[in-house]
Amino acid sequence: MDADSVAERLVPLLTPVLPDLPLRSRNEEIAAVRKRNYEALAARTPNFCSGCPHSTSTVLAPGQIAMGAPGCNCFNTVIEQPERHIDVMTQYGGEGLPWIGLSRYTDREHMVQHIGDGSIYHSSYLNVRWAVAAGATITFKLLYNGVVANTGAQDAVGSRGLASLTRGLESEGVARIVVMTKEPKRYRRERLAPGSRSVRPTAWWRPPTSSPGSRA
Ligand code: SF4
């Protein structure tokens, strides 16, 4: 029962007693919307906004499979491009946890887990620690944009910057840390963790030129 359904039922009752309110015109709008034919849109599936960093960050290497997390990353469950597809969504704060349990019972050796920096600082940093402690082979692909984008670009509370994050992850025992960026030079003077690198996305990280989000 949504607001429009309620309005459709209340307007006939309220109009006689509140004749000055534009109730009837609202119901006419609702009726016009209900008459629209949406079948022409049925073939479309959701995709990212043009320029969205997810367009690049969620592209998988050949053979990889991935788990997603709440946010616009959920589009990857139905997205048209197979190289961006995810097979499982976790709950917020649960990123990587299903694989830590599952990895002992499958021949698959590796999993990718998409995650945002807001989630890492909120709660999911512990998941990385647990993955290390459990010896799980997993790549957390952390989309670092400095904000909690999904809820309106609030500050990622607890953030101490990218370089500090790499040092923290290194201290937890993460085996390999790569900062993938269009501008590796920006990070040459940063105090990244020893052994970590800043590199440009390689060819298979780039979205195909035919994809809707290829401007990222
Ligand atoms: S994360 Fe932002 S830019 Fe990307 S699809 Fe969602 S709303 Fe659009």
Side-chain angles (χ1 to χ4, degrees), residues 166-186:
T166 65
R167 296 197 301 275
L169 294 172
E170 193 257 346
S171 73
E172 302 293 352
V174 171
R176 190 172 174 215
I177 302 166
V178 178
V179 178
M180 194 163 283
T181 170
K182 285 192 279 191
E183 301 171 281
K185 281 186 190 166
R186 281 183 57 187

Side-chain angles (χ1 to χ4, degrees), residues 63 65 99 101-111 137:
I65 63 171
W99 177 246
L102 178 64
S103 57
R104 293 164 183 262
Y105 303 100
T106 172
D107 293 334
R108 180 164 284 279
E109 295 179 351
H110 173 250
M111 179 62 63
T137 304

Side-chain angles (χ1 to χ4, degrees), residues 47-55 71-73 75 143 145 149-150:
N47 214 307
F48 301 122
C49 306
S50 296
C52 174
H54 282 308
S55 296
C72 291
N73 179 209
F75 295 162
L143 197 162
N145 58 8
N150 193 50

Side-chain angles (χ1 to χ4, degrees), residues 57-61 64-68 73 86 95-97 99-100 103 109-116 120 127-128 131-132 135-143 169 174-180 204-205:
S57 71
T58 58
V59 176
L60 298 169
Q64 286 185 336
I65 63 171
M67 295 179 172
N73 179 209
I86 57 175
E95 297 88 349
L97 303 186
W99 177 246
I100 294 172
S103 57
E109 295 179 351
H110 173 250
M111 179 62 63
V112 172
Q113 172 69 63
H114 301 301
I115 190 170
I120 276 278
N127 303 1
V128 179
V132 171
T137 304
I138 180 170
T139 299
F140 285 93
K141 285 178 74 175
L142 200 166
L143 197 162
L169 294 172
V174 171
R176 190 172 174 215
I177 302 166
V178 178
V179 178
M180 194 163 283
W204 50 261
W205 286 82

